[in-house]
Amino acid sequence: MQMNQAQQQAVLHKDGPMLVLAGPGSGKTLVITERTKHLIEEEHIPEDKILVITFTKAAANEMKERFLVKRNSNRTGVNFGTFHAVFFTILKHAYHFNASNIVREDIRHQYLKEIIHRMELEYEDEKEFISDLFSEISLVKGSQMELANYYSIHCSDEVFRTIYTEYNRKLKNANLIDFDDMLLLCHQLFTERKDILAMWQKKFEYILIDEFQDINKVQYDIVRMLAHPRNNLFIVGDDDQSIYRFRGAKPEIMLNFPTDFPECKKIFLDKNYRSTANILDASNRLIFRNKNRFEKVASACKEAGKEIVLQHYETLSLQNQMLAQEILKLNKEGTALSDMAILVRTSMGSGSMLHKLMEYNISFQMKDSLPNLFDHWIATDIITYIKIAMGHTERSLYLQIINRPKRYISRDCFDRPEVDLEDLKDYYEDKNWMLERLDQLEYDLTILGTMSPYAAVNYIRRGVGYEDYLKEYADIRRIKAEELFDTLDELQESARDHKTFADWFAHMEEYKEELKRQSLEVKNNKTDSITIATMHSSKGLEFQVVFIIDANEGITPHKKAVLEEDVEEERRLFYVAMTRAKENLYILSSKERYNKVMPYSRFVDEIKGIDSDNKEQAHRVR
């Protein structure tokens, strides 16, 4: 491939720091591999003096393979690796660590499980809670934050600090480290042992870093120590694609690079080889709204191409129907399903879209593990109420919901495998207030048994008081109750078209089996299939056709985005989603979602170039 002027300038750079701003589709991998080749062949730098770092093992392997092809070789002395792989190599030499010192994923989870069980914390989805805790632990370590100064997102500060301390104590006692500890130990080693630092500085004379916008504070601090005093630091990335703030990555690190290295040269890869001019211009209009960014404008190498399709439908159901029909139309016209992608803001809330794809026999593969709505703990609670109303009497069912909402009924009174409410009344015969609660429960279950599935979900929410229980739970977990209500809304909507509980339950089973079947077919490469991915996991991918769905306020930008810096991150995420498209881009939204009016995303107006302070009310719907 012929390199453009900016790419050539970057490749020919030899000594000192350089910042390469590489927008989507601008050929950054080409620049990194060509510069590495240039250093060896033209500047005569020994291969083993060069270190190329990226963020994932897959990306490091791909980079290495491309480099080997360029050099027409099957081996190289260049060090290609992830941050963790490089830092662990350093720790192996210093502390004689080996693979057995890295804690296994199942052991990490076991440690947290033991801690939260012993603390008797209140949570519903253990897997989700543990995942949230690990994200926070990683954030604290990666930001080198004082634990006392950290305020937890998912539980009380005191509880989190106890969990964090106890988790690290368990690791230390077992002589184990996690991935974040690799960074912290490496930082500590370089800080305390200048002789060891000097040895590695001599070893790695030229350092190239890909996807620099994803770096966190401790990674950056180590890299700066490692590059000193030569500062042959060649960083490639795009501040507009910094979307991992929840992991400690901040665009500010990249934005401050010229301040940290005043002598640094800056190159902007200003040609986009991926997207049509219409797609690129629209994504530029969006990202220009962010204030915290390098000023830059990329130009498209492709023609204008097709207009972006912005559609705002009356209902969610209509949005999903039109999505499915458009996919089939494009497929019939010659675009393979594998050249298309549907991008969603979060993995939850995609159930109705998946149902529609199944209805139209459109094969799909999921980049992320999109959860089955009916497996969610909230769905399990609702289904349990209905099962009891249908006449099920198993003890486990009653234990699941008896205090959701709180009725203060003791587990001790469930002393038989089958439950009879009359036995419970006998247990509380001297407590009139408890008898009243049991009478109310009996009445609720009787009423539920006569209802349609849709009405039953609604009655459990408001008549039984399940929403009140969720509000209390949300307060304890420091999350917004609305996020839990979203799951209830989706569940209730799924019940709408079913007249009986048996029909609804049969539909749940069919849906579960269809998800399994689709997954198996894709795994065995038996079928051409469209990719479904979250915006986060779409980064680094590209497709002929991209559908961004549910472009509504509260979804994208997410309702959690309150501060301006949060909104800027959401805008970067939408920008990443838009720039995955090569030829066709569809941005779809609906006016109503689960009986609630939903405004379309502010990003739609920004794409159109409409000022949000003086925005047009009318939509051009095609």
Side-chain angles (χ1 to χ4, degrees):
M1 177 181 168
Q2 185 75 32
M3 284 190 290
N4 62 45
Q5 190 180 352
Q7 289 172 332
Q8 285 173 7
Q9 276 182 275
V11 167
L12 297 176
H13 172 77
K14 182 172 182 270
D15 293 324
M18 173 170 268
L19 166 60
V20 179
L21 291 168
S26 62
K28 67 182 177 65
T29 305
L30 173 75
V31 164
I32 293 170
T33 50
E34 283 291 348
R35 179 177 186 252
T36 307
K37 180 170 174 268
H38 174 79
L39 286 174
I40 296 163
E41 295 179 359
E42 305 301 325
E43 305 293 351
H44 308 295
I45 306 300
E47 292 190 16
D48 63 351
K49 296 280 185 187
I50 302 170
L51 172 63
V52 181
I53 306 178
T54 189
F55 278 80
T56 66
K57 194 174 178 182
N61 289 339
E62 186 191 346
M63 191 84 73
K64 184 176 181 178
E65 281 166 23
R66 287 208 203 178
F67 174 73
L68 290 171
V69 168
K70 280 186 188 304
R71 300 218 59 205
N72 196 22
S73 172
N74 58 9
R75 62 172 58 191
T76 179
V78 177
N79 303 274
F80 288 91
T82 63
F83 277 105
H84 290 112
V86 173
F87 296 164
F88 190 62
T89 300
I90 292 167
L91 293 176
K92 274 199 292 190
H93 281 83
Y95 300 126
H96 307 295
F97 280 156
N98 58 49
S100 67
N101 293 111
I102 303 173
V103 65
R104 293 202 326 256
E105 201 60 23
D106 58 329
I107 300 294
R108 284 175 84 219
H109 278 76
Q110 187 57 41
Y111 284 169
L112 269 201
K113 238 180 183 177
E114 288 168 7
I115 293 163
I116 62 179
H117 283 188
R118 195 172 64 251
M119 292 175 74
E120 297 182 349
L121 300 177
E122 191 169 333
Y123 53 84
E124 295 306 333
D125 189 322
E126 183 175 83
K127 192 176 171 186
E128 180 186 65
F129 185 46
I130 287 175
S131 173
D132 289 340
L133 287 172
F134 275 131
S135 290
E136 291 201 70
I137 289 168
S138 189
L139 182 63
V140 172
K141 290 184 177 184
S143 304
Q144 292 175 295
M145 212 179 292
E146 282 292 328
L147 185 59
N149 298 335
Y150 179 71
Y151 300 98
S152 177
I153 307 161
H154 297 102
C155 53
S156 78
D157 302 330
E158 190 182 334
V159 164
F160 177 76
R161 286 165 194 161
T162 303
I163 292 169
Y164 181 92
T165 306
E166 191 59 24
Y167 166 70
N168 285 314
R169 188 186 64 78
K170 279 179 173 286
L171 286 177
K172 193 174 179 183
N173 287 348
N175 197 27
L176 294 172
I177 58 172
D178 63 17
F179 283 115
D180 297 303
D181 292 330
M182 286 183 200
L183 311 183
L184 293 174
L185 285 170
C186 203
H187 186 273
Q188 184 183 358
L189 177 70
F190 282 174
T191 305
E192 294 173 359
R193 293 289 303 273
K194 298 302 177 191
D195 55 331
I196 292 176
L197 172 60
M199 182 185 81
W200 289 102
Q201 286 169 336
K202 194 176 174 187
K203 161 80 174 158
F204 298 131
E205 290 185 5
Y206 289 84
I207 301 173
L208 299 86
I209 303 177
D210 186 24
E211 302 284 10
F212 188 80
Q213 74 280 344
D214 294 340
I215 203 165
N216 66 29
K217 184 180 183 300
V218 67
Q219 288 166 337
Y220 182 48
D221 287 348
I222 296 169
V223 162
R224 286 183 69 182
M225 286 193 269
L226 200 53
H228 190 77
R230 295 181 186 85
N231 292 337
N232 291 330
L233 199 49
F234 185 88
I235 68 162
V236 183
D238 183 10
D239 54 304
D240 290 332
Q241 294 186 75
S242 179
I243 56 172
Y244 295 114
R245 211 150 61 87
F246 61 92
R247 290 186 196 161
K250 294 177 182 173
E252 290 80 7
I253 296 176
M254 190 167 190
L255 292 168
N256 292 334
F257 188 81
T259 306
D260 295 337
F261 295 93
E263 73 279 24
C264 103
K265 291 178 181 170
K266 193 160 79 174
I267 292 281
F268 173 45
L269 304 185
D270 57 349
K271 298 279 188 285
N272 179 300
Y273 295 95
R274 177 187 298 159
S275 304
T276 61
N278 279 331
I279 292 169
L280 187 65
D281 290 347
S283 55
N284 280 343
R285 281 195 294 275
L286 174 75
I287 203 63
F288 289 172
R289 299 289 179 129
N290 273 4
K291 296 181 178 71
N292 197 22
R293 65 186 292 270
F294 285 115
E295 282 190 32
K296 53 191 181 296
V297 184
S299 58
C301 294
K302 289 184 175 180
E303 298 292 319
K306 293 181 181 175
E307 289 286 329
I308 291 177
V309 178
L310 298 166
Q311 294 183 317
H312 191 49
Y313 294 102
E314 287 297 323
T315 64
L316 178 63
S317 176
L318 193 56
Q319 174 200 276
N320 292 331
Q321 183 184 325
M322 296 306 286
L323 166 72
Q325 289 174 358
E326 190 66 16
I327 291 167
L328 289 177
K329 176 173 161 281
L330 290 167
N331 188 229
K332 194 175 179 184
E333 289 169 357
T335 306
L337 290 177
S338 57
D339 285 332
M340 303 186 222
I342 301 167
L343 304 186
V344 296
R345 170 61 184 84
T346 61
S347 55
M348 277 308 290
S350 305
S352 58
M353 179 265 292
L354 294 180
H355 284 298
K356 195 55 71 176
L357 296 185
M358 289 175 185
E359 190 184 311
Y360 278 80
N361 289 320
I362 296 169
S363 184
F364 56 86
Q365 59 175 316
M366 294 180 275
K367 180 91 170 86
D368 316 78
S369 150
L370 290 182
N372 182 349
L373 167 69
F374 304 118
D375 289 340
H376 195 284
W377 62 268
I378 289 176
T380 304
D381 283 354
I382 301 297
I383 292 163
T384 300
Y385 264 109
I386 290 169
K387 282 182 176 176
I388 294 173
M390 290 169 70
H392 290 253
T393 58
E394 296 93 317
R395 177 176 180 267
S396 59
L397 294 179
Y398 275 90
L399 288 174
Q400 171 92 15
I401 53 85
I402 198 65
N403 286 311
R404 301 177 185 183
K406 287 221 164 60
R407 298 183 179 92
Y408 300 96
I409 294 173
S410 168
R411 293 176 70 91
D412 296 341
C413 62
F414 296 96
D415 55 358
R416 295 179 186 176
E418 305 294 321
V419 175
D420 185 335
L421 284 178
E422 293 305 316
D423 291 342
L424 267 65
K425 288 177 187 177
D426 289 344
Y427 186 90
Y428 286 110
E429 62 182 344
D430 56 341
K431 295 182 175 67
N432 287 334
W433 68 93
M434 292 302 285
L435 293 174
E436 283 173 19
R437 286 173 189 165
L438 288 167
D439 285 340
Q440 182 63 47
L441 174 61
E442 192 169 29
Y443 172 78
D444 289 338
L445 292 170
T446 304
I447 289 284
L448 279 173
T450 66
M451 291 178 165
S452 70
Y454 186 86
V457 177
N458 196 51
Y459 186 78
I460 294 165
R461 292 177 73 160
R462 296 173 177 90
V464 174
Y466 189 76
E467 282 191 4
D468 295 332
Y469 159 71
L470 288 183
K471 282 176 191 167
E472 283 182 33
Y473 175 72
D475 285 343
I476 293 166
R477 281 287 317 278
R478 290 192 175 186
I479 54 180
K480 288 187 175 177
E482 288 79 11
E483 289 174 43
L484 302 176
F485 291 169
D486 286 347
T487 302
L488 272 178
D489 290 340
E490 192 180 354
L491 184 71
Q492 189 169 344
E493 188 62 26
S494 82
R496 187 188 287 276
D497 297 331
H498 301 280
K499 290 187 169 54
T500 67
F501 295 134
D503 284 348
W504 192 31
F505 290 168
H507 164 73
M508 291 179 197
E509 277 306 307
E510 284 167 19
Y511 179 65
K512 186 177 172 183
E513 289 307 311
E514 183 62 18
L515 277 181
K516 271 190 203 166
R517 189 184 70 76
Q518 290 270 12
S519 174
L520 205 62
E521 281 198 355
V522 169
K523 209 176 189 178
N524 297 332
N525 292 321
K526 279 189 178 175
T527 184
D528 182 34
S529 53
I530 191 167
T531 297
I532 301 169
T534 62
M535 293 178 179
H536 277 104
S537 67
S538 73
K539 190 160 164 289
L541 305 177
E542 57 181 30
F543 302 90
Q544 291 292 116
V545 182
V546 167
F547 296 90
I548 298 174
I549 64 167
D550 303 330
N552 291 89
E553 281 292 308
I555 298 173
T556 176
H558 197 275
K559 58 173 74 96
K560 284 181 182 173
V562 179
L563 304 173
E564 185 56 34
E565 60 191 23
D566 297 328
V567 175
E568 290 214 348
E569 175 109 342
E570 290 286 317
R571 193 176 283 113
R572 290 193 294 270
L573 191 54
F574 205 91
Y575 172 76
V576 165
M578 289 179 71
T579 53
R580 301 309 93 200
K582 289 154 76 168
E583 302 290 339
N584 298 48
L585 176 61
Y586 296 75
I587 298 173
L588 313 180
S589 56
S590 58
K591 294 178 184 176
E592 172 269 332
R593 188 179 176 90
Y594 309 137
N595 295 327
K596 293 175 189 167
V597 175
M598 295 283 285
Y600 61 78
S601 171
R602 72 191 74 174
F603 298 152
V604 171
D605 278 340
E606 294 175 2
I607 288 162
K608 291 178 178 179
I610 299 171
D611 190 337
S612 56
D613 296 329
N614 184 28
K615 81 177 186 183
E616 296 174 358
Q617 295 304 307
H619 271 280
R620 181 159 64 89
V621 177
R622 277 176 277 128

